[in-house]
Amino acid sequence: MKELEKNTGTEMEMQETTGKTKKEKKRKRRRTAQGSGRRKKRIPLFIAAALAAVFIGYSMVSSAIAKNAPVPVNTVTAERGDVEETVSTSGRVSSEQSRTYYAPVNAVIAEMDISLGDVVEEGQQLVVFDTSSLEAQKTKADLDASAAANGYRSTQYQSDKKQSEYNEAVIGLDELKTLAANQEQYVQGLKYNLEDEIQSKKEDLQDWLNKLNLELEIQNNKLSEPRSEDSRERVQEVIQNLNESIRQTTNEINDLSMSEEMKEQQRLIDSEQKKLDDMKDEISRREGEESSSEAGIVDPYAKQQQADAMESAQLTAREAAETLEKGKEGVKAQFGGIVTRIATMSSSANASAGGGLLEGAAVSEGTELFTIESNRQVKVDISVTKYDLPRIAVGQKADITIADREYEGEVTRINRVASSNSQGSPVVGAEVHIKNPDPDIFLGVEAQVRIHTNAAKDVIVLPAEIVNTDRNGDFCYVVEDGVVVMRRIVTGISSDTMVEVTEGLQEGDQVVYDMTGTVTEGMNVTAVPEAAAGEAQPAETQPEAVPTVETQTEAALAGETQPEAVPDETQPETGQTEEAQEETH
């Protein structure tokens, strides 16, 4: 019976040895192999065969006994608790608000008393300019603007005056020309009527004169005939009367236009002709004014050109005034912060402390002066690996440690493009805003960041070290009716010490707390609860009060070394693979 108990202890030693980690197995295999080699040299072959036969017999008996003997094992009760998932990393503190200041004007620096690393306050005067040249430029610009405005007004006045004259000249001019044409026709009609009347009377008088001459010829012929003295006297008297009538008629013909009737008609013609002449004179005057005034009227394009020139001069004057105001204002800090860069006159490289632009230097508008970065709006720039990237999101809270001081943070930005780190691995940049900065924060220093990525409350949790992983997923060992059973589980979020179990376990299940790999599925065991799952124990600590499989095996090892049992290759490996642990934690 004692031999059976000894063999039973030996069998337990073999099981314990089988459950060791791979590194321990390899080391024990090497030690066992070396010891066996030395023993082969000392023990004869027949003695070794006899011992092997005895060992096989004892193993068979002890194995049968061990299957019926429950072994105490440490267990953890699956209970509900809280678990929080975090991602820990490090980064550098940088400013969220940075401004590079440039010279606002072409001027000479009168005062500039800042150095690299200086702390400046919002509104602090940093640069003072000499504004004498700017004042002269403003005066000249004002004069140019006044001259342009007066020139524009004068041109507008002259143009408006000519426009008025033109309007007066052309208003009613066409009607006046029509009236003049009608008047001319009227006067011409009067003249025609007078000429016709004169001609008619002249023809009548000429007919009468012809008749008188004919009668005179007749009477002269009678006088040449033999007549009595009385008859001759009467003929002579008739001839005398005819001559008088011929003379009077001839005079009437000659003086026909001098008759009162004709004179009255001529006076009418003269009067109407005077009206016509006046009309023509007015028309001629207006046409002259139209021509001269039209030449002095400025066309719309020229007006716009002059208006643009005036506006340009006024704009130049306003810009000169604004430039002068900028020069007088100088350069002030838009926000409080630290001077992180001072430009030099020769290059854009960083100026050394105390160096940079000098007082008396002439700068052009747009010349770089210095850069200020806020130490009140700050962040930590971090790099996120592909394993942590799915867990990081904007808005997550973070704990930030800078030089042993704690700060509150929040993820505010995640880049959408990856870059390579110093090892060549792709990483994604992210920013964590520091919500409660203080004057003790220095830009550019390293900060430790712990991001709270997820949390679960009142869920079933297990210590992370007893969750195993193989190619088929996660599992753990559970004691059911005194027998170890492998239980497939589905895990959720995990912290550094705890893992959420979403499927596969129920509250109250006894989960084997085995860190040695000696517990295998199918073993008869006695569950020895250690602590609730929410009170995870360190991986290195094991209770010493209860003799477990491991302690019994170690006690058995105090005897003579036995050949190492071959581990069961079909049993799933306990413990997590390195890749699975990396993804889990």
Side-chain angles (χ1 to χ4, degrees), residues 492-536:
I493 66 173
S494 62
S495 66
D496 294 339
T497 58
M498 306 301 294
V499 177
E500 175 192 10
V501 179
T502 59
E503 295 181 16
L505 287 181
Q506 295 182 354
E507 188 175 1
D509 285 347
Q510 295 297 313
V511 182
V512 176
Y513 196 104
D514 175 44
M515 300 300 298
T516 63
T518 57
V519 177
T520 59
E521 187 176 15
M523 289 179 60
N524 292 328
V525 296
T526 300
V528 181
E530 290 188 354
E535 303 174 0

Side-chain angles (χ1 to χ4, degrees), residues 83-89 382-398 411 413-414 416 428 430 449-455 464 491-500 579-585:
V83 61
E84 184 180 46
E85 184 180 64
T86 62
V87 171
S88 297
T89 183
I382 62 174
S383 296
V384 182
T385 66
K386 64 180 180 180
Y387 303 106
D388 292 332
L389 185 59
R391 296 186 287 172
I392 302 294
V394 173
Q396 292 173 341
K397 306 301 179 184
V411 178
R413 176 182 173 85
I414 300 175
R416 292 298 176 180
V428 173
V449 180
R450 184 168 176 262
I451 303 173
H452 301 273
T453 58
N454 206 347
T491 60
I493 66 173
S494 62
S495 66
D496 294 339
T497 58
M498 306 301 294
V499 177
E500 175 192 10
E579 180 180 356
Q581 290 177 353
E582 182 181 3
E583 294 179 350
T584 303
H585 299 292

Side-chain angles (χ1 to χ4, degrees), residues 155-221:
T155 301
Q156 286 293 100
Y157 173 77
Q158 295 296 331
S159 178
D160 292 344
K161 182 180 179 181
K162 292 299 182 180
Q163 183 68 55
S164 178
E165 293 176 356
Y166 176 81
N167 294 339
E168 291 179 359
V170 298
I171 290 176
L173 180 59
D174 293 338
E175 291 81 359
L176 181 59
K177 289 181 177 180
T178 301
L179 291 175
N182 294 335
Q183 180 70 13
E184 186 173 11
Q185 291 179 358
Y186 175 65
V187 171
Q188 189 65 39
L190 291 177
K191 290 180 178 180
Y192 288 156
N193 291 336
L194 179 59
E195 290 177 356
D196 291 343
E197 188 173 352
I198 292 174
Q199 183 66 26
S200 176
K201 287 187 177 184
K202 186 177 183 179
E203 290 178 353
D204 291 342
L205 290 174
Q206 187 66 41
D207 290 341
W208 174 247
L209 180 61
N210 293 333
K211 290 179 179 181
L212 290 177
N213 288 325
L214 180 60
E215 183 63 25
L216 178 60
E217 184 179 0
I218 292 171
Q219 292 300 324
N220 285 328
N221 292 329

Side-chain angles (χ1 to χ4, degrees), residues 4 20 23 37 69 93 156 188 196 216 221 236 242 259 371 382 407 471 509 570:
L4 292 175
K20 294 296 183 178
K23 292 183 179 180
V93 179
Q156 286 293 100
Q188 189 65 39
D196 291 343
L216 178 60
N221 292 329
Q236 288 178 349
L242 286 173
S259 64
T371 298
I382 62 174
Y407 301 91
R471 68 181 61 185
D509 285 347
T570 61

Side-chain angles (χ1 to χ4, degrees), residues 73-147:
V73 293
N74 293 332
T75 60
V76 173
T77 303
E79 294 185 354
R80 291 188 175 274
D82 300 338
V83 61
E84 184 180 46
E85 184 180 64
T86 62
V87 171
S88 297
T89 183
S90 64
R92 289 196 176 275
V93 179
S94 62
S95 178
E96 292 178 329
Q97 187 177 17
S98 176
R99 180 183 177 89
T100 298
Y101 292 79
Y102 300 89
V105 294
N106 300 328
V108 175
I109 297 178
E111 297 179 16
M112 180 173 172
D113 187 18
I114 57 174
S115 299
L116 193 67
D118 283 355
V119 177
V120 299
E121 300 297 329
E122 181 179 356
Q124 178 178 339
Q125 189 77 46
L126 304 178
V127 178
V128 177
F129 294 106
D130 180 357
T131 60
S132 57
S133 62
L134 299 179
E135 291 174 353
Q137 292 174 7
K138 179 182 180 302
T139 301
K140 182 179 182 303
D142 290 340
L143 293 174
D144 291 341
S146 177

